Amino acid sequence: MSFFKRLKDKLMGNPAEEEKLEAVDKEQESVQAELEESNEPAAIETVDVEVPEQVEESPAMEMVKEAEVEPTFEIEEEQAEIQELAVIEDTPVEEKKPSAWSITQKFKAGLEKTRNSFTSKVNDLVARYRKVDEDFFEELEDLLLQADVGFETVMELMDKLRFEVQRKNIKDTNGIQAVISEKLVEIYEQGEQDLIELNLQPEGELTVILFVGVNGVGKTTTIGKLAHRLKSQGKTVVLAAGDTFRAGAIDQLQVWGDRVGCEVIKQSEGSDPAAVMYDAIRAAKNRKADVLICDTAGRLQNKVNLMNELEKVHRVISREIPNAPHEVLLALDATTGQNALVQAQTFKEATNVTGIVLTKLDGTAKGGIVLAIRNKLHIPVKFVGLGEKMDDLQPFDAERYVYGLFADGLDKELQNSDDE
């Protein structure tokens, strides 16, 4: 199957159909809103109009009317409240699975800053060079390095591109973005499958997910978003406030716990994080929870102390649940570029990091760091933060990611492939 065909089938879904459904949903919402607005004044007007009319007839009739009107109005209010609560309760249960097209659009929107910076330069490059030659490759190499793709990844990509251009006897730059995209996906995947899947345990067993990462990378926010994601899948989630050193960290996690409806196991500030983990595991087991997500401290000023602390936490978890933690997720701030790569190397040395959660990808013009991390450290990026909303934490997908980088050019080429 060609790269274009695979890209279209997997990524695009049926945008026209989804747009129709969205239009119908919006129309129904507006109609319902109009009905609600029109109903309330009507009820009030009836009371205002009828009561004065009956006042002049007799005091007895007035008492009868008041007895009839007031309970009816209270019942209507109660019914409105019940309907409102029903709508709120139904919202999570509704659980419309996001379509392939809507997820792809999230990646496209989340990578807008990188695309505006990087792809516009690629487009200029393609426009300036009508033929693919060594000068073209050298400028492309510089652009990729500026996007923080990483030196080793860029060198590997250049070798693959040169070989592909020679093999297919490509002379001009038409369609070159598709070739670049295909090779980037190949480099990321490296033949490995199911990289993004969390190692969730079978039903009835507790899954422990340990979060690590320096302060300020959005670790606590990401924990809250992941808890929301797992809860929407029907999982019972408990949070452990293991960052007992940073001022406000426990309160911040509690806020997220309240927001997503998860219990937070905590102790006082400054207490032993390993003791918090012990309590959290016991509590999660007693409550028959499906997933326990553990926050940890993120001080890198004294690397030795931090790593000793993480090893102790890891040891306590493993003692209580064999083979746990089942996932050690490292939160990295995409906006820090190559510094994120340094952090990843440090934590990889100290803990068995099983996956990366790349936060704030929507806030950087150097989104190529995803490829550098994967290619240099061989740790899969499992989730990416593509915005501020609760559902903007998305499982990483190499094809959607590369599409997000080259969306404007690829959209044209996809259109051209349809016309052929």
Side-chain angles (χ1 to χ4, degrees), residues 43 46-48 50-51 63-76:
T46 307
V47 174
D48 288 345
E50 287 180 7
V51 172
M63 289 172 69
V64 170
K65 285 294 177 186
E66 283 177 356
E68 287 176 353
V69 171
E70 285 178 9
T72 307
F73 190 72
E74 285 173 6
I75 289 166
E76 284 176 359

Side-chain angles (χ1 to χ4, degrees), residues 198-215:
L198 286 175
N199 182 26
L200 297 176
Q201 300 307 289
E203 193 172 344
E205 295 182 29
L206 179 63
T207 300
V208 181
I209 299 174
L210 185 67
F211 261 84
V212 297
V214 301
N215 293 334

Side-chain angles (χ1 to χ4, degrees), residues 268-402:
S268 59
E269 193 175 309
S271 55
D272 184 2
V276 176
M277 298 307 167
Y278 178 82
D279 288 350
I281 289 170
R282 289 299 175 93
K285 283 180 174 178
N286 289 339
R287 289 151 182 73
K288 293 182 170 49
D290 300 305
V291 182
L292 172 66
I293 305 178
C294 307
D295 192 10
T296 60
R299 300 158 301 145
L300 260 188
Q301 292 87 344
N302 188 332
K303 191 171 77 171
V304 176
N305 285 352
L306 173 61
M307 297 315 166
N308 287 343
E309 180 186 296
L310 287 175
E311 285 170 11
K312 185 180 176 184
V313 165
H314 200 289
R315 201 162 55 244
V316 168
I317 292 172
S318 302
R319 190 178 64 219
E320 294 303 310
I321 302 176
N323 302 319
H326 305 100
E327 290 280 1
V328 180
L329 299 181
L330 171 60
L332 294 174
D333 182 344
T335 63
T336 60
Q338 289 296 311
N339 192 37
L341 192 58
V342 175
Q343 290 172 27
Q345 285 174 312
T346 304
F347 277 95
K348 188 186 179 187
E349 289 166 9
T351 62
N352 181 28
V353 176
T354 58
I356 304 285
V357 181
L358 201 60
T359 66
K360 309 175 192 177
L361 193 60
D362 59 312
T364 181
K366 296 191 172 185
I369 192 64
V370 175
L371 292 156
I373 290 168
R374 173 74 186 121
N375 205 38
K376 177 114 185 213
L377 301 177
H378 306 290
I379 303 172
V381 177
K382 296 212 170 188
F383 291 93
V384 287
L386 297 170
E388 298 298 323
K389 294 180 185 172
M390 198 84 80
D391 61 348
D392 283 338
L393 182 72
Q394 287 292 325
F396 180 74
D397 183 290
E399 288 172 342
R400 286 191 171 93
Y401 163 76
V402 170

Side-chain angles (χ1 to χ4, degrees), residues 97-156:
K97 259 195 167 181
S99 69
W101 182 73
S102 65
I103 294 172
T104 300
Q105 295 309 301
K106 279 185 181 294
F107 273 82
K108 183 178 178 180
L111 285 158
E112 185 178 1
K113 283 192 178 179
T114 299
R115 187 170 62 255
N116 288 346
S117 168
F118 170 64
T119 314
S120 60
K121 292 174 183 174
V122 173
N123 289 338
D124 291 343
L125 181 63
V126 170
R128 282 190 290 110
Y129 284 87
R130 291 300 174 189
K131 61 178 183 175
V132 179
D133 56 18
E134 197 55 36
D135 290 338
F136 173 83
F137 281 128
E138 283 182 12
E139 285 205 42
L140 178 62
E141 186 179 305
D142 288 340
L143 291 180
L144 289 164
L145 287 170
Q146 288 168 28
D148 268 352
V149 173
F151 181 76
E152 291 176 16
T153 312
V154 170
M155 291 304 104
E156 185 179 345

